[in-house]
Amino acid sequence: MLANYRRLFAVPHVTSLLVWSLTARFYTPGLMIAVTFLVEGWTGSYTLAGLVAGAFTLGIALVGPLRGRMADRGGSDRLVLVCGVVFTLGLLALALLPASLWWLSLPLALGTGLFGTPANQIVRALWPRLTRGPERQAIYAAEATTQELLFVFAPVLTAAVVAMAGPRQALLMLGVLGLLGAVGFARALRRAGVTGPAPVEETPEGEVSEKGGKGPRGSLLFHPALCLLFAMCLLIISGVVGMDLVIVAWANELGAPQYVMVLASVWALGSLVGGAVSGMLKGVPRLTLRAFAAALGMAVLIPFVPPISHLPTPLLITPLLFVSGLALAPTLAAMMGRLGDIAPSHRRAEAFGWMSTAMSTGAAVAGPLTGALVDTNGIAGGVVGAASLVLLAAVLTLFLPRIGAAAPSSEVPEEPASDGATVPLATEGGDRISPSSPRGHGGPTVGPAPTEPTGTAVSPPRPSAP
């Protein structure tokens, strides 16, 4: 079962790109905590604190597609460095802002959010260039799983710094980690040799294309299949964030905030386990099955929360919470894999930018919607709302086009070798590469990856130590 992961991490540069991209976005889950404590301390108002935190999210969401288009055109390493430096300077300015000038925090947060490091969309757009087949599904599963770790450890670390040193120091810590991650990720991109423009690849059956008249030119929002995926992302993230808020509201009603970390951690642990196992599975992920399983996992919680039932302690629901989380990371991984499959090969970063915008919008919508449901129908109402959003996303999967299996012979031409065997020839930037020509260390893999080890003549170089 570990074969997928063994083959995946044998691909050059995959490990360094994944680790540094995660470091570059480590600040994301903890930023809202630090900003909320800082602004509430200045103003005594959680409403104003929420507005400032929302301004960061709005800024990041607004430029997702633009950042992706810039990355697709080349110079992704410079883009990451510039965004990392400006974002860190913005956090530094906010941390040093006098309390009397708190009103400046709103435009400052919006402007800083515009330079959020686009590591997630850039690295997700790279996986189809570096991996094929089972390895591609494994890397999306690995990323979805490890990202869950960010949402477990980043808030804990941020809250600990706030408690020991204050919210200003927490912002500085997040800024330093963000800058360190941006520098490391930019260096990893250069070492992998993937900073140039995204190549135009052969279009498998079912992929959205701008060649040959399969799809309209212009905005990716004109492609129905991509719009369905973006809508799915918005709905699923809205449901997941809504469930997080339900857990907070439940613990708050009980006057026991310590339950938040326990319940949220168990739910995240279920997602971690599910994501790790899904990366080991062979075959094409069944997105529809995973999405309906995620919706069912939330729905089974409804009979066990107030006002439908009142458990002696919320800890009794932890086994169900673990089961409920099992399908979350696999569903997100399958969505990212499907987007990487059907998006135009030379506009994948832009497509993942739209996905990032959809996710940010879903997170923003979840707050007021879940709050209204909890206020009017109790904790059960919030769970029903979250499950309904994920169920609606699952229904949308029924309208997605099927991805046909591309014939390897149509993607990678073959040339007879001296011993009568055939050797695949790759194309990069439209140039034909002979079997004896060196590919160049760290160049992207073009064409399907071999399912079994090949001879040394065509084997990729072993990854260098990070």
mmCIF file of all heavy atoms in Angstrom, residues 151-171:
data_model
loop_
_atom_site.group_PDB
_atom_site.id
_atom_site.type_symbol
_atom_site.label_atom_id
_atom_site.label_comp_id
_atom_site.label_asym_id
_atom_site.label_seq_id
_atom_site.Cartn_x
_atom_site.Cartn_y
_atom_site.Cartn_z
ATOM 1 N N PHE A 151 -3.482 23.227 10.214
ATOM 2 C CA PHE A 151 -4.667 23.709 10.922
ATOM 3 C C PHE A 151 -4.754 23.147 12.338
ATOM 4 O O PHE A 151 -5.620 23.554 13.108
ATOM 5 C CB PHE A 151 -5.929 23.357 10.130
ATOM 6 C CG PHE A 151 -6.131 24.235 8.931
ATOM 7 C CD1 PHE A 151 -5.590 23.897 7.705
ATOM 8 C CD2 PHE A 151 -6.827 25.415 9.033
ATOM 9 C CE1 PHE A 151 -5.752 24.706 6.609
ATOM 10 C CE2 PHE A 151 -6.993 26.253 7.936
ATOM 11 C CZ PHE A 151 -6.459 25.891 6.723
ATOM 12 N N VAL A 152 -3.870 22.208 12.659
ATOM 13 C CA VAL A 152 -3.793 21.715 14.038
ATOM 14 C C VAL A 152 -2.722 22.471 14.813
ATOM 15 O O VAL A 152 -2.957 22.968 15.916
ATOM 16 C CB VAL A 152 -3.515 20.202 14.060
ATOM 17 C CG1 VAL A 152 -3.261 19.734 15.486
ATOM 18 C CG2 VAL A 152 -4.693 19.433 13.457
ATOM 19 N N PHE A 153 -1.517 22.581 14.223
ATOM 20 C CA PHE A 153 -0.382 23.111 14.972
ATOM 21 C C PHE A 153 -0.243 24.633 14.881
ATOM 22 O O PHE A 153 0.200 25.266 15.840
ATOM 23 C CB PHE A 153 0.912 22.448 14.493
ATOM 24 C CG PHE A 153 1.000 21.002 14.853
ATOM 25 C CD1 PHE A 153 0.890 20.014 13.879
ATOM 26 C CD2 PHE A 153 1.170 20.598 16.172
ATOM 27 C CE1 PHE A 153 0.961 18.677 14.204
ATOM 28 C CE2 PHE A 153 1.244 19.261 16.514
ATOM 29 C CZ PHE A 153 1.136 18.299 15.519
ATOM 30 N N ALA A 154 -0.595 25.235 13.745
ATOM 31 C CA ALA A 154 -0.436 26.689 13.617
ATOM 32 C C ALA A 154 -1.289 27.459 14.626
ATOM 33 O O ALA A 154 -0.788 28.381 15.290
ATOM 34 C CB ALA A 154 -0.745 27.133 12.188
ATOM 35 N N PRO A 155 -2.581 27.124 14.797
ATOM 36 C CA PRO A 155 -3.348 27.838 15.831
ATOM 37 C C PRO A 155 -2.813 27.613 17.240
ATOM 38 O O PRO A 155 -2.822 28.532 18.068
ATOM 39 C CB PRO A 155 -4.764 27.257 15.675
ATOM 40 C CG PRO A 155 -4.819 26.754 14.279
ATOM 41 C CD PRO A 155 -3.437 26.240 14.003
ATOM 42 N N VAL A 156 -2.346 26.382 17.519
ATOM 43 C CA VAL A 156 -1.824 26.104 18.860
ATOM 44 C C VAL A 156 -0.569 26.936 19.126
ATOM 45 O O VAL A 156 -0.423 27.556 20.195
ATOM 46 C CB VAL A 156 -1.515 24.598 19.006
ATOM 47 C CG1 VAL A 156 -0.787 24.326 20.318
ATOM 48 C CG2 VAL A 156 -2.802 23.786 18.928
ATOM 49 N N LEU A 157 0.353 26.970 18.152
ATOM 50 C CA LEU A 157 1.572 27.750 18.324
ATOM 51 C C LEU A 157 1.264 29.243 18.437
ATOM 52 O O LEU A 157 1.830 29.941 19.303
ATOM 53 C CB LEU A 157 2.519 27.500 17.146
ATOM 54 C CG LEU A 157 3.835 28.275 17.155
ATOM 55 C CD1 LEU A 157 4.656 27.952 18.401
ATOM 56 C CD2 LEU A 157 4.642 27.984 15.886
ATOM 57 N N THR A 158 0.365 29.725 17.614
ATOM 58 C CA THR A 158 0.011 31.148 17.663
ATOM 59 C C THR A 158 -0.629 31.505 18.996
ATOM 60 O O THR A 158 -0.290 32.530 19.603
ATOM 61 C CB THR A 158 -0.950 31.491 16.512
ATOM 62 O OG1 THR A 158 -0.350 31.121 15.271
ATOM 63 C CG2 THR A 158 -1.254 32.986 16.494
ATOM 64 N N ALA A 159 -1.562 30.679 19.442
ATOM 65 C CA ALA A 159 -2.215 30.952 20.722
ATOM 66 C C ALA A 159 -1.211 30.910 21.877
ATOM 67 O O ALA A 159 -1.306 31.705 22.821
ATOM 68 C CB ALA A 159 -3.332 29.933 20.956
ATOM 69 N N ALA A 160 -0.236 30.013 21.795
ATOM 70 C CA ALA A 160 0.776 29.932 22.851
ATOM 71 C C ALA A 160 1.624 31.199 22.887
ATOM 72 O O ALA A 160 1.920 31.729 23.972
ATOM 73 C CB ALA A 160 1.661 28.706 22.630
ATOM 74 N N VAL A 161 2.020 31.711 21.729
ATOM 75 C CA VAL A 161 2.806 32.952 21.689
ATOM 76 C C VAL A 161 1.976 34.128 22.184
ATOM 77 O O VAL A 161 2.476 35.008 22.903
ATOM 78 C CB VAL A 161 3.341 33.209 20.267
ATOM 79 C CG1 VAL A 161 4.063 34.543 20.190
ATOM 80 C CG2 VAL A 161 4.283 32.090 19.845
ATOM 81 N N VAL A 162 0.690 34.161 21.814
ATOM 82 C CA VAL A 162 -0.187 35.229 22.309
ATOM 83 C C VAL A 162 -0.261 35.189 23.828
ATOM 84 O O VAL A 162 -0.184 36.224 24.508
ATOM 85 C CB VAL A 162 -1.594 35.089 21.691
ATOM 86 C CG1 VAL A 162 -2.582 36.009 22.405
ATOM 87 C CG2 VAL A 162 -1.559 35.429 20.204
ATOM 88 N N ALA A 163 -0.415 33.986 24.395
ATOM 89 C CA ALA A 163 -0.548 33.857 25.848
ATOM 90 C C ALA A 163 0.744 34.236 26.569
ATOM 91 O O ALA A 163 0.706 34.857 27.636
ATOM 92 C CB ALA A 163 -0.946 32.424 26.198
ATOM 93 N N MET A 164 1.901 33.890 25.991
ATOM 94 C CA MET A 164 3.166 34.114 26.687
ATOM 95 C C MET A 164 3.768 35.491 26.411
ATOM 96 O O MET A 164 4.388 36.084 27.294
ATOM 97 C CB MET A 164 4.170 33.028 26.280
ATOM 98 C CG MET A 164 3.797 31.639 26.773
ATOM 99 S SD MET A 164 5.089 30.407 26.416
ATOM 100 C CE MET A 164 5.083 30.414 24.627
ATOM 101 N N ALA A 165 3.577 36.011 25.190
ATOM 102 C CA ALA A 165 4.252 37.264 24.826
ATOM 103 C C ALA A 165 3.321 38.342 24.308
ATOM 104 O O ALA A 165 3.683 39.524 24.337
ATOM 105 C CB ALA A 165 5.335 36.974 23.772
ATOM 106 N N GLY A 166 2.145 37.980 23.811
ATOM 107 C CA GLY A 166 1.214 38.978 23.314
ATOM 108 C C GLY A 166 0.968 38.837 21.823
ATOM 109 O O GLY A 166 1.740 38.199 21.094
ATOM 110 N N PRO A 167 -0.120 39.442 21.317
ATOM 111 C CA PRO A 167 -0.479 39.295 19.896
ATOM 112 C C PRO A 167 0.508 39.971 18.943
ATOM 113 O O PRO A 167 0.680 39.509 17.812
ATOM 114 C CB PRO A 167 -1.862 39.936 19.809
ATOM 115 C CG PRO A 167 -1.955 40.842 20.997
ATOM 116 C CD PRO A 167 -1.133 40.206 22.065
ATOM 117 N N ARG A 168 1.170 41.061 19.374
ATOM 118 C CA ARG A 168 2.148 41.706 18.492
ATOM 119 C C ARG A 168 3.293 40.739 18.191
ATOM 120 O O ARG A 168 3.720 40.606 17.035
ATOM 121 C CB ARG A 168 2.690 42.980 19.138
ATOM 122 C CG ARG A 168 1.653 44.083 19.333
ATOM 123 C CD ARG A 168 2.319 45.302 19.967
ATOM 124 N NE ARG A 168 1.352 46.324 20.352
ATOM 125 C CZ ARG A 168 0.977 47.338 19.556
ATOM 126 N NH1 ARG A 168 1.509 47.446 18.348
ATOM 127 N NH2 ARG A 168 0.100 48.224 19.969
ATOM 128 N N GLN A 169 3.772 40.072 19.207
ATOM 129 C CA GLN A 169 4.862 39.113 19.012
ATOM 130 C C GLN A 169 4.397 37.913 18.167
ATOM 131 O O GLN A 169 5.188 37.363 17.398
ATOM 132 C CB GLN A 169 5.389 38.637 20.359
ATOM 133 C CG GLN A 169 6.219 39.658 21.113
ATOM 134 C CD GLN A 169 5.373 40.797 21.697
ATOM 135 O OE1 GLN A 169 4.144 40.684 21.814
ATOM 136 N NE2 GLN A 169 6.028 41.882 22.067
ATOM 137 N N ALA A 170 3.139 37.532 18.321
ATOM 138 C CA ALA A 170 2.614 36.433 17.503
ATOM 139 C C ALA A 170 2.600 36.812 16.024
ATOM 140 O O ALA A 170 2.942 36.007 15.154
ATOM 141 C CB ALA A 170 1.214 36.048 17.971
ATOM 142 N N LEU A 171 2.215 38.049 15.723
ATOM 143 C CA LEU A 171 2.240 38.515 14.336
ATOM 144 C C LEU A 171 3.658 38.522 13.782
ATOM 145 O O LEU A 171 3.887 38.137 12.618
ATOM 146 C CB LEU A 171 1.633 39.915 14.233
ATOM 147 C CG LEU A 171 0.107 40.019 14.135
ATOM 148 C CD1 LEU A 171 -0.307 41.477 14.063
ATOM 149 C CD2 LEU A 171 -0.401 39.271 12.910
#
